Amino acid sequence: MAYQSLRLEYLQIPPVSRAYTTACVLTTAAVQLELITPFQLYFNPELIFKHFQIWRLITNFLFFGPVGFNFLFNMIFLYRYCRMLEEGSFRGRTADFVFMFLFGGFLMTLFGLFVSLVFLGQAFTIMLVYVWSRRNPYVRMNFFGLLNFQAPFLPWVLMGFSLLLGNSIIVDLLVGHIYFFLEDVFPNQPGGIRILKTPSILKAIFDTPDEDPNYNPLPEERPGGFAWGEGQRLGG
């Protein structure tokens, strides 16, 4: 019974949040079990482009360090704000959400070429938190029962906390702000245009196509199927 409840709860998580969070947990579990090592996962441009270890472009976003406080902290925030984004402003727009992942990952990889970051998962989490907080400016937040503040200040609080943990915050804020500006701010400015457009191939893969209101279904597609035996009355 407990297994069924847990399975049901797991399947209720939106697909992108479920896939990413699961991949992060499984990657960490594989490292803990010594099936793989962090040296096989970290971001290294030379190994990627010269030795064609392409998987590092993805795996560096999946490892948050060994199981401990830092890992749990990041997993809680990743799961919470990734899910709230997908169920909130991206509800019914899975392709747009995937495109945000790809755009953010691309920018972070680009910045990673110039700064000494070997794992970009935490920066990606901050990006998700930043976008959510800017889209929910009036939500009151409580940070571990110590601080009360409005949602837009949450990324700054997290970055201060990251500094205390000795983490870099160079990329964390930049990417989230760039995405938010291009998606939410610039298109609404006088003369502004929407630069970020989700490719149609992503929409075809992830989004359910809209129903055509003028579509007339075939008889076999209508409720009840064919009207077998229906006819005109003789002599009528």
Side-chain angles (χ1 to χ4, degrees):
M1 190 69 180
Y3 167 77
Q4 291 295 335
S5 300
L6 188 62
R7 180 176 177 273
L8 189 62
E9 180 65 27
Y10 175 74
L11 293 176
Q12 287 178 346
I13 302 172
V16 178
S17 301
R18 182 171 68 238
Y20 185 43
T21 306
T22 301
C24 293
V25 171
L26 290 179
T27 301
T28 301
V31 172
Q32 288 294 117
L33 295 172
E34 298 184 351
L35 300 176
I36 56 176
T37 71
F39 296 104
Q40 296 172 288
L41 307 174
Y42 76 101
F43 180 73
N44 185 314
E46 182 176 353
L47 293 176
I48 292 171
F49 298 112
K50 290 186 178 181
H51 297 273
F52 305 106
Q53 297 184 8
I54 306 299
W55 67 83
R56 293 178 184 271
L57 290 171
I58 298 175
T59 56
N60 78 90
F61 288 97
L62 304 180
F63 185 64
F64 290 81
V67 175
F69 177 78
N70 194 38
F71 169 77
L72 295 175
F73 177 81
N74 280 288
M75 282 296 97
I76 290 171
F77 274 83
L78 170 64
Y79 167 76
R80 176 177 173 81
Y81 290 97
C82 189
R83 180 170 184 172
M84 287 199 297
L85 267 179
E86 192 170 1
E87 292 181 335
S89 59
F90 286 98
R91 177 181 291 273
R93 299 167 52 218
T94 302
D96 293 338
F97 196 46
V98 171
F99 182 63
M100 186 188 77
F101 268 57
L102 296 175
F103 177 77
F106 172 77
L107 277 188
M108 289 177 191
T109 300
L110 196 62
F111 290 140
L113 297 174
F114 304 100
V115 296
S116 57
L117 288 176
V118 292
F119 291 104
L120 295 169
Q122 179 174 301
F124 193 84
T125 300
I126 297 294
M127 181 195 78
L128 297 174
V129 173
Y130 183 88
V131 174
W132 178 87
S133 66
R134 293 301 300 268
R135 289 182 173 178
N136 297 272
Y138 303 111
V139 176
R140 292 286 297 173
M141 307 295 300
N142 182 283
F143 190 71
F144 291 125
L146 301 175
L147 297 173
N148 292 292
F149 49 86
Q150 298 290 109
F153 292 102
L154 179 59
W156 301 96
V157 173
L158 289 181
M159 285 192 295
F161 193 70
S162 293
L163 281 176
L164 292 177
L165 294 176
N167 300 320
S168 172
I169 62 170
I170 298 174
V171 179
D172 296 28
L173 184 63
L174 268 178
V175 176
H177 183 71
I178 290 172
Y179 176 83
F180 177 76
F181 178 80
L182 293 178
E183 179 70 11
D184 292 44
V185 179
F186 185 65
N188 298 316
Q189 299 300 311
I193 60 173
R194 186 172 183 183
I195 298 174
L196 299 180
K197 295 182 179 179
T198 303
S200 56
I201 187 172
L202 291 180
K203 290 184 175 292
I205 295 173
F206 294 104
D207 286 350
T208 303
D210 296 330
E211 293 186 5
D212 184 355
N214 298 319
Y215 174 65
N216 186 24
L218 296 172
E220 61 266 30
E221 294 177 342
R222 297 174 187 154
F226 288 102
W228 299 108
E230 183 179 326
Q232 294 181 345
R233 183 181 304 171
L234 293 175

